[in-house]
Amino acid sequence: MSEESRPAFGAERREHILELVRANGSMSLRDLAAKVRASEVTVRRDVRAMEAEGLLDRRRGGVALPGRIGHEQSYSGKSEQCAAEKAAIAAAAARLARPGDAVTIGPGSTAVALARALRGHGDLTVVTNALPVADALAGAPGVEIVMTGGTVHAPMRALVGAAAEATLSGLRVNRAFLSGNGVSAERGLSTPNPAVAGVDRALSACAEETIVLADHTKIGADTMVTTVAPENIAHLVTDSGADPEVIMTLEEIGALVHVVVAVDERGQ
């Protein structure tokens, strides 16, 4: 019996897809297919039908709720998503930091994973506006932490505003490590919140090169405010689930892309 002749099962699957996207804000087709135990072709067909009904918006390689381009998920809401991928990305990104470096690190759960990976590096100065990043590095031998000023933006637990941007305006560092909400070949790194975006730009502007950390759910996604233009991304560290078309285009623009494999993808 073909799938089309089983409308009840198809309706249940689409309801499950909608529940998953509502819970996560956005998801890749690959992750949706795994969750609902269907092929990506089937899920793509479901998503197309649901978009026609106004229930979902398609993105390259993924799907989001309508109007999610301006949605900002909280730090706690993101911290458990793609945990294995974020840990692998963080480990690879940490290897790009050199002894004696001064670096900036922005907010986000992947940035916190990076901070944990940097604890053993030593001889490092870290400038950050992210409270969880500072907390993760507190007490690490040889690591000096510099916090920006600013007003606490509760969803991201990050300092934002004119005081934060002013702290960064006179600095020069070797590398900036940023993790926004979307990375596309057309607009680069982006985030939904203008206040967070302003400080992200300042974190990048004072660095010799910018390194973007983004798991596969963010690759091809686009949110409201651009923080780093695609031509200014020196390195992109992502995982093997990322859309290869987006990766190839970013490489053509000039980014050096590092693709990691998460531990649970290896079956370990």
Side-chain angles (χ1 to χ4, degrees):
M1 182 181 293
S2 68
E3 184 179 273
E4 287 75 11
S5 65
R6 297 184 306 210
F9 179 75
E12 291 169 6
R13 186 181 60 249
R14 291 175 188 178
E15 182 61 31
H16 191 194
I17 289 171
L18 187 57
E19 290 174 356
L20 288 166
V21 178
R22 281 173 175 165
N24 293 282
S26 63
M27 291 186 70
S28 68
L29 291 176
R30 177 186 181 218
D31 286 350
L32 279 173
K35 291 288 187 181
V36 302
R37 298 182 180 180
S39 70
E40 287 191 37
V41 172
T42 297
V43 170
R44 187 177 289 108
R45 184 167 59 244
D46 286 338
V47 167
R48 189 179 297 115
M50 295 168 77
E51 183 182 43
E53 297 176 28
L55 298 173
L56 298 173
D57 283 347
R58 282 186 293 167
R59 302 280 189 263
R60 180 178 293 182
V63 62
L65 292 177
R68 299 296 281 192
I69 197 166
H71 172 76
E72 180 181 32
Q73 193 174 7
S74 68
Y75 166 76
S76 59
K78 295 192 297 183
S79 59
E80 294 182 4
Q81 296 177 15
C82 299
E85 288 86 347
K86 290 173 182 177
I89 289 167
R95 290 192 287 271
L96 298 175
R98 311 277 196 278
D101 269 359
V103 303
T104 57
I105 302 179
S109 53
T110 313
V112 175
L114 169 65
R116 295 191 187 107
L118 288 172
R119 282 188 60 87
H121 273 51
D123 195 16
L124 197 66
T125 299
V126 175
V127 183
T128 186
N129 68 320
L131 302 177
V133 167
D135 187 55
L137 284 168
V143 178
E144 181 180 358
I145 305 166
V146 179
M147 291 292 299
T148 69
T151 303
V152 176
H153 177 66
M156 293 301 296
R157 296 180 62 195
L159 299 170
V160 300
E165 294 176 35
T167 303
L168 298 162
S169 63
L171 298 183
R172 190 65 178 164
V173 301
N174 303 102
R175 272 160 274 281
F177 294 90
L178 297 178
S179 178
N181 292 63
V183 185
S184 70
E186 295 77 19
R187 296 183 65 228
L189 184 66
S190 62
T191 188
N193 186 277
V196 173
V199 184
D200 277 359
R201 289 195 198 100
L203 290 164
S204 175
C206 68
E208 294 173 3
E209 63 176 13
T210 297
I211 300 165
V212 171
L213 287 61
D215 67 70
H216 66 274
T217 65
K218 299 176 182 177
I219 303 300
D222 198 6
T223 56
M224 191 167 68
V225 190
T226 296
T227 56
V228 183
E231 62 270 19
N232 293 330
I233 299 175
H235 299 261
L236 169 64
V237 190
T238 187
D239 64 83
S240 57
D243 186 332
E245 183 180 344
V246 179
I247 288 176
M248 287 176 61
T249 306
L250 286 167
E251 286 179 324
E252 290 170 0
I253 293 170
L256 180 59
V257 179
H258 310 259
V259 179
V260 302
V261 179
V263 169
D264 56 358
E265 287 186 69
R266 300 188 187 107
Q268 295 180 5

